Amino acid sequence: MHASGHERPVREPRPRMRTAALLCAAAALVATAVPASAQTRAAPSAPDPLVVVDCFSQPQVGPEEYVLACGDGNNRLVDLRWTDWGPRTATATGTDMVNECRPNCAAGRFHPYPVTVTLSKPRPWPGHPDVERFTSIRLFYPHGAPSPVSQDVTYKLVY
């Protein structure tokens, strides 16, 4: 009885509160009933892939085009089809478009040379923690190279 002499009314729990309590209890029950082996775990994050750095200091993975002559653009690899992009090397076939620069580069014409490209020698990319870049590019011309380049040539990538 209440101090006023009246019987205190008994309150029924609110429907929303009862529903929320039941849902919490059910979730706790399910969480403890599922075996640990059935629970999904976050996959470990994959390491960043190796990159080749372009003329604009942008990282590229499997680019379709790559400029070899950053100063004037008179030598570029196009239509690259990468058959491998692995942890030590990357290999593609494509076309090396080379400006003959005759009588000068502004008036010269571009000529296509089929080429096999191999990137290698991954090294840490300065200023980019946890990213490695390829530092060497090998060009092999199966049907003849642009003069005066040899049929199989390797260059250091400095970007």
Side-chain angles (χ1 to χ4, degrees):
M1 237 195 228
H2 193 263
S4 65
H6 297 288
E7 203 171 299
R8 183 178 225 173
V10 177
R11 273 199 217 173
E12 291 292 319
R14 289 191 238 165
R16 283 188 189 168
M17 293 293 283
R18 186 175 358 172
T19 302
L22 285 172
L23 287 174
C24 287
L29 182 62
V30 168
T32 59
V34 175
S37 62
Q39 295 178 2
T40 59
R41 292 189 182 113
S45 62
D48 289 334
L50 284 166
V51 300
V52 61
V53 180
D54 68 15
C55 294
F56 304 103
S57 296
Q58 296 299 308
Q60 302 293 323
V61 176
E64 291 181 25
E65 293 190 8
Y66 187 78
V67 176
L68 293 171
C70 291
D72 57 16
N74 283 314
N75 189 355
R76 69 182 183 278
L77 303 172
V78 298
D79 300 323
L80 293 172
R81 291 171 304 284
W82 297 93
T83 55
D84 177 51
W85 195 277
R88 309 299 319 149
T89 63
T91 305
T93 57
T95 303
D96 188 358
M97 296 298 294
V98 180
N99 189 345
E100 66 184 20
C101 290
R102 280 187 264 151
N104 56 57
C105 292
R109 293 182 348 189
F110 282 86
H111 296 276
Y113 295 88
V115 66
T116 298
V117 178
T118 303
L119 301 173
S120 62
K121 298 184 181 174
R123 300 286 184 269
W125 187 12
H128 298 82
D130 303 322
V131 178
E132 287 195 340
R133 75 196 190 307
F134 288 111
T135 61
S136 181
I137 186 168
R138 177 183 176 218
L139 305 174
F140 175 73
Y141 300 93
H143 306 296
S147 180
V149 177
S150 65
Q151 186 175 10
D152 192 349
V153 63
T154 301
Y155 299 106
K156 182 177 181 180
L157 295 174
V158 295
Y159 324 116

